[in-house]
């Protein structure tokens, strides 16, 4: 899951990014709403965390611009003002949830899990395709009930494919989602890691689930799916 955190307080931003990475999320930080808007218009994020009070462009203005530009990623607002007006304004602008500062990191994790469940339309943390299952909370992956071990990057790659089950994903999107906005290496790394994941997921199992779409990218689906 790829998360963007827009927070102008540098220490808090660094703590949140570090903490979310430790929980297995792909987290990036920026310091104002203008930068956050530019990033989400240029790349896909599974979740955006926006502080309301930021310089250059505040969080509410950034959120309104995102929604006006058809950005549908869920948004959690951070606010130091525990007032009904702030909550209503944020939700009316298109926010999915809000957290009042100061907050415990565990509360943020719970809010993120809740948003994920709401977006998927399910209360389960487990994604299943054929006989392959992935638990987004524990990061346990099983094929035919046999647990398979993955490195962090391999897991993030597989999770992205499974969340987008049945959809063809370009190499460029995979590179941005798994390796991040600031990665400046070549596109070949996507094919290298895809081979690692495919070997673990498909080599000794049926049906084959990871498929190459020539000239475009990859898709995870059963062979008879359209």
């Amino acid at each position: 899951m790829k998360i963007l955190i827009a927070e102008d307080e540098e220490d808090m931003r660094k703590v949140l990014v570090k903490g979310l990475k430790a929980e297995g999320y792909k987290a990036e930080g920026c310091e104002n709403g203008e930068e956050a808007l530019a990033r989400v218009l240029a790349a896909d994020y599974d979740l955006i965390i926006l502080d309301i009070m930021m310089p250059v462009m505040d969080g509410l203005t950034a959120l309104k611009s995102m929604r006006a530009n058809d950005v549908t990623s869920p948004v959690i607002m951070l606010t130091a003002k525990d007032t009904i007006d702030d909550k209503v304004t944020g939700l009316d602008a298109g926010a999915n949830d809000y957290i009042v500062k100061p907050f415990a990191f565990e509360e943020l994790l719970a809010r993120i899990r809740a948003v994920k469940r709401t977006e998927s339309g399910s209360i389960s943390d487990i994604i299943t395709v054929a006989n392959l299952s992935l638990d987004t909370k524990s990061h346990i992956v099983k094929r035919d009930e046999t647990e398979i071990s993955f490195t962090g990057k391999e897991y993030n790659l597989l999770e992205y494919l499974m969340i987008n089950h049945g959809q063809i994903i370009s190499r460029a999107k995979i590179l941005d989602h798994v390796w991040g906005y600031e990665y400046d290496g070549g596109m070949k790394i996507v094919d290298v890691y895809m081979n690692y994941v495919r070997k673990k997921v498909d080599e000794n199992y049926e049906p084959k689930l990871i498929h190459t779409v020539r000239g475009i990218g990859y898709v995870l689906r059963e062979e008879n799916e359209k």
Side-chain angles (χ1 to χ4, degrees), residues 82 106 142 158 208:
D82 188 11
E106 287 300 322
K142 294 181 179 180
L158 180 61
K208 305 306 180 189

Side-chain angles (χ1 to χ4, degrees), residues 35-54:
E35 185 181 353
L37 178 61
R39 289 201 183 193
V40 301
L41 293 180
D44 292 332
Y45 290 89
D46 300 304
L47 175 67
I48 303 160
I49 299 173
L50 287 175
D51 186 26
I52 288 183
M53 300 299 292
M54 290 187 291

